[in-house]
Amino acid sequence: MRALATGVINDGLNKNDFVEYAAAEQATMALSAIINAMRNTGMLNETQFKSVNGALSKLYDAVAKDEEYKPQTFAAALREFSQALPTTTN
């Protein structure tokens, strides 16, 4: 599942796939589903989940208002999310 999250992150940071608001919004929801699945399957402990979920909230903030969406703000939040995602999971 971490590979799925990494794929979404890489699409946004390396391919600039999330310049459009709708794509960024979909990516945010996908990452949310992935980290919740990781938590539910025991791949993330509670401390790891809280850290990643905190970074996820910044992604949600970046897509909170479509008329105010800025791709560079989303990219910065995506980089922060990437850093919060543990390289190893439980």
Side-chain angles (χ1 to χ4, degrees):
M1 277 187 259
R2 188 183 197 298
L4 289 173
T6 300
V8 172
I9 292 164
N10 288 340
D11 283 351
L13 296 178
N14 301 328
K15 296 181 183 178
N16 293 321
D17 279 356
F18 308 137
V19 173
E20 304 258 339
Y21 170 79
E25 184 180 44
Q26 291 296 313
T28 300
M29 290 186 284
L31 289 169
S32 177
I34 292 167
I35 66 165
N36 278 297
M38 291 174 75
R39 178 188 188 195
N40 292 339
T41 59
M43 294 178 72
L44 292 177
N45 65 37
E46 200 59 32
T47 302
Q48 292 169 321
F49 177 75
K50 285 180 183 178
S51 175
V52 175
N53 203 43
L56 180 69
S57 70
K58 292 184 180 181
L59 289 172
Y60 274 112
D61 289 345
V63 296
K65 296 181 180 176
D66 61 342
E67 66 278 355
E68 295 178 14
Y69 176 70
K70 292 182 175 57
Q72 60 273 28
T73 302
F74 184 79
L78 194 57
R79 280 190 288 280
E80 187 173 328
F81 179 86
S82 178
Q83 292 172 348
L85 195 63
T87 54
T88 58
T89 55
N90 293 341

